[in-house]
Amino acid sequence: EPELEIIFSECEDTDKGIKILGLPANEETRNYYPDMLSLLQLDSDEGIGLEFGKSAVLNFLFKQPDLGYRNWKRGKAVLK
């Protein structure tokens, strides 16, 4: 089985896919949690066997101060 290679590059906040540190791609999530950043966004991808229901995106959200203090208990996982 081939290895999975993920290459991160600069992208727009509204881009779907796998992203590290930015705003959530989903507008509803951005509006509901306006003061939170997405530490990690995982988008459903059949090709690699990563699926969260019907085209859902999983975001791990934190307020910026909590990221700075590494306060991982204050994060939220949001599936939309």
Side-chain angles (χ1 to χ4, degrees):
E1 202 152 307
E3 291 183 27
L4 173 65
E5 180 180 27
I6 299 173
I7 299 171
F8 292 98
S9 60
E10 193 170 335
C11 64
E12 297 295 322
D13 283 327
T14 55
D15 287 350
K16 291 188 175 185
I18 298 173
K19 296 192 315 185
I20 295 176
L21 199 57
L23 295 176
N26 183 291
E27 184 177 4
E28 184 180 345
T29 302
R30 283 194 312 270
N31 291 338
Y32 196 78
Y33 300 100
D35 59 341
M36 299 186 96
L37 293 173
S38 179
L39 175 62
L40 177 64
Q41 173 180 290
L42 299 172
D43 197 355
S44 293
D45 185 336
E46 281 183 23
I48 62 171
L50 186 63
E51 296 183 59
F52 304 106
K54 192 173 184 178
S55 300
V57 176
L58 177 63
N59 281 280
F60 296 94
L61 303 177
F62 291 87
K63 291 184 179 181
Q64 194 163 357
D66 290 328
L67 284 173
Y69 289 115
R70 298 179 183 172
N71 194 353
W72 310 122
K73 292 181 180 181
R74 305 242 356 211
K76 295 186 182 303
V78 177
L79 182 64
K80 288 275 182 193

mmCIF file of all heavy atoms in Angstrom, residues 9 15 24 33 41 61-62 64 70 80:
data_model
loop_
_atom_site.group_PDB
_atom_site.id
_atom_site.type_symbol
_atom_site.label_atom_id
_atom_site.label_comp_id
_atom_site.label_asym_id
_atom_site.label_seq_id
_atom_site.Cartn_x
_atom_site.Cartn_y
_atom_site.Cartn_z
ATOM 1 N N SER A 9 0.673 23.949 2.315
ATOM 2 C CA SER A 9 1.077 25.207 1.692
ATOM 3 C C SER A 9 0.042 26.265 2.054
ATOM 4 O O SER A 9 -1.035 25.964 2.566
ATOM 5 C CB SER A 9 1.189 25.047 0.179
ATOM 6 O OG SER A 9 -0.052 24.657 -0.369
ATOM 7 N N ASP A 15 -10.822 27.499 2.042
ATOM 8 C CA ASP A 15 -10.478 26.253 1.356
ATOM 9 C C ASP A 15 -10.761 25.059 2.251
ATOM 10 O O ASP A 15 -10.469 25.084 3.441
ATOM 11 C CB ASP A 15 -8.995 26.240 0.963
ATOM 12 C CG ASP A 15 -8.680 27.169 -0.186
ATOM 13 O OD1 ASP A 15 -9.623 27.693 -0.816
ATOM 14 O OD2 ASP A 15 -7.483 27.370 -0.457
ATOM 15 N N PRO A 24 -11.874 28.100 10.281
ATOM 16 C CA PRO A 24 -12.566 26.955 9.704
ATOM 17 C C PRO A 24 -13.105 27.292 8.313
ATOM 18 O O PRO A 24 -13.543 28.408 8.062
ATOM 19 C CB PRO A 24 -13.721 26.697 10.673
ATOM 20 C CG PRO A 24 -13.381 27.426 11.921
ATOM 21 C CD PRO A 24 -12.503 28.556 11.519
ATOM 22 N N TYR A 33 -18.535 30.290 16.045
ATOM 23 C CA TYR A 33 -17.363 30.386 16.924
ATOM 24 C C TYR A 33 -16.429 31.482 16.394
ATOM 25 O O TYR A 33 -15.295 31.209 15.980
ATOM 26 C CB TYR A 33 -16.609 29.055 16.974
ATOM 27 C CG TYR A 33 -17.425 27.903 17.481
ATOM 28 C CD1 TYR A 33 -17.993 26.982 16.607
ATOM 29 C CD2 TYR A 33 -17.629 27.719 18.845
ATOM 30 C CE1 TYR A 33 -18.751 25.923 17.073
ATOM 31 C CE2 TYR A 33 -18.371 26.657 19.320
ATOM 32 C CZ TYR A 33 -18.933 25.766 18.423
ATOM 33 O OH TYR A 33 -19.677 24.715 18.894
ATOM 34 N N GLN A 41 -7.872 21.099 10.807
ATOM 35 C CA GLN A 41 -9.107 20.827 10.057
ATOM 36 C C GLN A 41 -8.880 19.576 9.225
ATOM 37 O O GLN A 41 -7.900 19.475 8.494
ATOM 38 C CB GLN A 41 -9.424 22.006 9.133
ATOM 39 C CG GLN A 41 -10.590 21.735 8.208
ATOM 40 C CD GLN A 41 -10.875 22.922 7.325
ATOM 41 O OE1 GLN A 41 -11.352 23.935 7.813
ATOM 42 N NE2 GLN A 41 -10.583 22.808 6.047
ATOM 43 N N LEU A 61 -11.098 23.422 17.458
ATOM 44 C CA LEU A 61 -11.109 24.870 17.645
ATOM 45 C C LEU A 61 -10.601 25.277 19.023
ATOM 46 O O LEU A 61 -10.903 24.620 20.026
ATOM 47 C CB LEU A 61 -12.536 25.404 17.472
ATOM 48 C CG LEU A 61 -13.231 25.097 16.153
ATOM 49 C CD1 LEU A 61 -14.654 25.626 16.185
ATOM 50 C CD2 LEU A 61 -12.463 25.685 14.982
ATOM 51 N N PHE A 62 -9.862 26.393 19.039
ATOM 52 C CA PHE A 62 -9.326 26.952 20.279
ATOM 53 C C PHE A 62 -9.349 28.468 20.188
ATOM 54 O O PHE A 62 -9.177 29.034 19.106
ATOM 55 C CB PHE A 62 -7.860 26.523 20.487
ATOM 56 C CG PHE A 62 -7.688 25.069 20.774
ATOM 57 C CD1 PHE A 62 -7.569 24.159 19.741
ATOM 58 C CD2 PHE A 62 -7.650 24.614 22.076
ATOM 59 C CE1 PHE A 62 -7.416 22.812 20.003
ATOM 60 C CE2 PHE A 62 -7.492 23.269 22.345
ATOM 61 C CZ PHE A 62 -7.372 22.364 21.304
ATOM 62 N N GLN A 64 -7.354 31.880 20.780
ATOM 63 C CA GLN A 64 -5.932 32.128 20.608
ATOM 64 C C GLN A 64 -5.142 32.090 21.923
ATOM 65 O O GLN A 64 -4.072 31.482 21.971
ATOM 66 C CB GLN A 64 -5.705 33.441 19.870
ATOM 67 C CG GLN A 64 -4.290 33.576 19.378
ATOM 68 C CD GLN A 64 -4.136 34.635 18.307
ATOM 69 O OE1 GLN A 64 -5.098 35.251 17.882
ATOM 70 N NE2 GLN A 64 -2.920 34.836 17.872
ATOM 71 N N ARG A 70 -1.208 26.544 25.730
ATOM 72 C CA ARG A 70 -1.338 25.091 25.534
ATOM 73 C C ARG A 70 -2.411 24.492 26.431
ATOM 74 O O ARG A 70 -2.244 23.431 27.011
ATOM 75 C CB ARG A 70 -0.005 24.400 25.744
ATOM 76 C CG ARG A 70 1.036 24.849 24.775
ATOM 77 C CD ARG A 70 2.336 24.163 25.014
ATOM 78 N NE ARG A 70 3.326 24.690 24.083
ATOM 79 C CZ ARG A 70 4.593 24.408 24.143
ATOM 80 N NH1 ARG A 70 5.044 23.599 25.074
ATOM 81 N NH2 ARG A 70 5.424 24.923 23.274
ATOM 82 N N LYS A 80 -19.012 19.402 11.021
ATOM 83 C CA LYS A 80 -20.066 20.013 10.184
ATOM 84 C C LYS A 80 -19.944 19.515 8.786
ATOM 85 O O LYS A 80 -18.907 19.445 8.211
ATOM 86 C CB LYS A 80 -19.949 21.540 10.159
ATOM 87 C CG LYS A 80 -20.349 22.194 11.442
ATOM 88 C CD LYS A 80 -21.805 22.397 11.461
ATOM 89 C CE LYS A 80 -22.194 23.094 12.745
ATOM 90 N NZ LYS A 80 -23.524 23.097 13.023
#
